[in-house]
Amino acid sequence: MKSKRRSRRKNNRKPLLYMLIIFLMALAWMNLSSKQTQTLHNERYVKTYEADVTLIKNEQVFYFDQKPSYLISSGTRISMNQLLAEQSVSTQGYASDKSAAINKAISHAGSSKKELDLSLIDSFDEDDKTKSQREIRIMLSALRYQSKSEEELKDILEKNSGASISSPTLKKIGSDYPGYVFFDDDGYEQVFTFSNMDMLSKEFLEEADEIADLNRGYGNNVLKVTDDDGVIIVAAVPKEVELQREALLQERKTGIYERLDEENLSSYIELLTERVDLLRGFPKVKFNMDDNEYAAYLIESIEEEEEKILVFMLKEMVQGEILSKRKGTADIYTYENQGYLVPSRSVFEKDGKSYVMVLSKGYLRRNVEVTVTLVDGSQVFLSRSENSNLSDGMQVLINP
């Protein structure tokens, strides 16, 4: 009798045990379903800083005494021997201004001082605009020649002569290089040159705008040749803006300035333009401008009081579209990597280490140690290279 009673009691407990298991499973399911999850996907992560940029190019501006009827269209690339026009062109006025600029440079030969003559802004005469613009262009052209010796300048002066040129080509009119041709000027062509880069500062950029505004549109018979060998891109940014590989710049610069005859930015840029093998050792930085992505070499960072001037050299994708620009807005990539972007609340601290909670088989939980690469507002970026224990498809609890 006793054994039968025990058996009945056991059987009565089974439904209670089943109900308890079901209750606990339901409780676990309710707890789990209240948790939000995110599936990890390895993706490209880019952080940018929007900056106003100035484009500096090698440019030669020729102006003819009478406008020819061109056989080519603005913004196209031509060779040194490609025919510009069928009729003759006269370059007397161009040669006269070039001689005046060279003579001005000779009078300052040996001087290392380069500066914009801002007094020309105050003396600008709107009633005699052409004369004032001519004085500005001569002054600016003289600055371009200032790195040359007196002997070199006299040799250039001797070879300079205006003429009537039949069947004109770039070679015949005296261009130093082939490139893209344009039939207007924006006033910056003489202000911003590779040979003036040692003047570069925030103040110079602002002063250049004033000078260029007065200098713009000199003459109606302009032919501008823009070299496509490279473009310098300048951006003024706050000091706290750090680029991902900016530290590498200082390492690459070591020793390069020392090999220059003159340790200035103009000579430095000239060397890197010629020595692409040296240039390729510098950090590459991507940027977006007008929906196009470019990659340029970071070659200099000039620190000022509250800002720094970043100087890039673009060597690839140098085509008519970017060569036609002078100013623009660029999204500079300050950081780029592959990895996982998750909400910051999904990362928690334990014993001085960072973790995320990962679901396995839909309900099992385990803590996975992570290295937080960057904090970006309400999200954190976990780079793939630093978090090999994370993989695509993992389910991470957002509110563990």
Side-chain angles (χ1 to χ4, degrees):
M1 287 292 290
K2 285 182 181 179
S3 61
K4 283 183 181 179
R5 281 197 205 102
R6 286 197 199 101
S7 178
R8 282 196 203 101
R9 281 181 195 149
K10 262 187 179 179
N11 290 336
N12 289 337
R13 287 175 189 161
K14 280 183 180 178
L16 292 173
L17 183 61
Y18 292 150
M19 287 177 67
L20 180 62
I21 291 171
I22 291 169
F23 173 74
L24 291 174
M25 288 179 67
L27 191 64
W29 180 84
M30 287 174 62
N31 183 44
L32 187 60
S33 63
S34 69
K35 302 292 186 183
Q36 294 178 303
T37 64
Q38 176 179 316
T39 304
L40 292 184
H41 294 291
N42 175 42
E43 57 188 326
R44 183 192 187 202
Y45 172 77
V46 174
K47 200 169 183 181
T48 63
Y49 181 84
E50 186 179 276
D52 293 329
V53 296
T54 301
L55 283 73
I56 301 169
K57 302 153 275 187
N58 262 332
E59 297 168 295
Q60 281 184 287
V61 181
F62 302 90
Y63 49 94
F64 305 123
D65 300 331
Q66 294 176 331
K67 186 176 182 178
S69 178
Y70 292 109
L71 297 173
I72 52 177
S73 57
S74 181
T76 59
R77 192 187 192 284
I78 68 170
S79 66
M80 291 293 283
N81 293 309
Q82 189 170 339
L83 194 63
L84 297 172
E86 291 179 342
Q87 74 269 39
S88 299
V89 295
S90 174
T91 60
Q92 298 291 345
Y94 170 75
S96 174
D97 284 7
K98 187 175 180 181
S99 294
I102 295 169
N103 280 316
K104 191 173 183 65
I106 289 173
S107 68
H108 291 93
S111 171
S112 59
K113 189 177 181 183
K114 283 189 182 182
E115 59 182 14
L116 294 174
D117 185 358
L118 298 180
S119 66
L120 291 173
I121 295 176
D122 298 326
S123 63
F124 192 87
D125 187 354
E126 279 289 346
D127 294 330
D128 199 353
K129 188 174 180 178
T130 302
K131 183 186 175 207
S132 293
Q133 284 181 320
R134 182 175 186 266
E135 289 174 351
I136 289 174
R137 293 177 74 86
I138 288 171
M139 181 272 292
L140 295 173
S141 295
L143 289 178
R144 299 183 71 154
Y145 292 116
Q146 203 162 317
S147 60
K148 298 185 180 298
S149 67
E150 187 173 348
E151 291 72 25
E152 288 175 309
L153 290 171
K154 286 180 178 176
D155 186 52
I156 296 170
L157 187 59
E158 190 177 331
K159 292 176 182 176
N160 180 52
S161 62
S164 180
I165 301 168
S166 60
S167 302
T169 63
L170 292 186
K171 187 174 184 179
K172 283 186 177 180
I173 65 174
S175 179
D176 293 330
Y177 39 74
Y180 287 81
V181 293
F182 301 93
F183 303 138
D184 57 359
D185 61 355
D186 57 21
Y188 288 96
E189 290 84 2
Q190 310 292 336
V191 186
F192 288 139
T193 71
F194 287 9
S195 61
N196 283 348
M197 288 299 89
D198 47 304
M199 299 167 62
L200 196 58
S201 66
K202 184 71 185 298
E203 186 182 17
F204 172 69
L205 291 171
E206 292 168 353
E207 291 173 349
D209 289 342
E210 292 186 68
I211 291 282
D213 188 51
L214 301 179
N215 194 34
R216 185 177 298 114
Y218 174 62
N220 298 314
N221 312 320
V222 168
L223 174 71
K224 179 169 68 177
V225 186
T226 306
D227 189 5
D228 60 354
D229 188 43
V231 177
I232 299 297
I233 298 167
V234 177
V237 302
K239 270 186 177 179
E240 59 268 20
V241 174
E242 288 290 335
L243 304 189
Q244 185 176 1
R245 301 179 67 202
E246 193 171 342
L248 182 60
L249 168 64
Q250 300 304 322
E251 181 185 324
R252 291 291 181 261
K253 278 168 49 181
T254 303
I256 293 184
Y257 271 100
E258 294 171 5
R259 70 174 70 186
L260 300 172
D261 293 333
E262 293 184 46
E263 294 186 26
N264 56 43
L265 187 56
S266 297
S267 303
Y268 173 67
I269 287 175
E270 185 180 346
L271 175 65
L272 293 180
T273 304
E274 295 171 356
R275 293 287 304 275
V276 183
D277 59 318
L278 294 176
L279 180 65
R280 285 178 180 152
F282 283 78
K284 254 190 173 182
V285 178
K286 292 179 183 176
F287 64 95
N288 242 302
M289 191 161 67
D290 298 331
D291 297 324
N292 290 320
E293 186 179 78
Y294 300 91
Y297 296 96
L298 176 64
I299 61 171
E300 186 58 284
S301 177
I302 305 167
E303 290 208 359
E304 299 195 330
E305 203 167 311
E306 296 179 354
E307 295 179 300
K308 59 183 174 183
I309 309 290
L310 298 176
V311 184
F312 304 91
M313 182 178 286
L314 181 67
K315 271 287 186 179
E316 290 84 29
M317 291 183 68
V318 184
Q319 297 171 344
E321 184 177 358
I322 197 163
L323 289 174
S324 66
K325 302 180 189 305
R326 179 67 63 186
K327 300 276 188 174
T329 302
D331 290 320
I332 301 171
Y333 292 15
T334 57
Y335 184 83
E336 181 183 11
N337 206 342
Q338 291 287 130
Y340 311 98
L341 197 62
V342 298
S344 55
R345 57 199 173 110
S346 65
V347 180
F348 59 93
E349 299 291 321
K350 185 178 178 182
D351 299 329
K353 295 179 180 180
S354 298
Y355 294 88
V356 293
M357 188 174 286
V358 174
L359 285 182
S360 179
K361 297 182 181 180
Y363 62 91
L364 297 177
R365 307 182 189 188
R366 62 188 176 94
N367 294 341
V368 176
E369 186 180 347
V370 295
T371 298
V372 175
T373 311
L374 281 175
V375 178
D376 187 358
S378 62
Q379 294 182 304
V380 296
F381 175 67
L382 311 171
S383 79
R384 192 176 188 182
S385 59
E386 295 178 299
N387 292 280
S388 56
N389 47 354
L390 296 179
S391 59
D392 281 21
M394 277 185 170
Q395 292 286 323
V396 172
L397 284 175
I398 294 176
N399 51 342

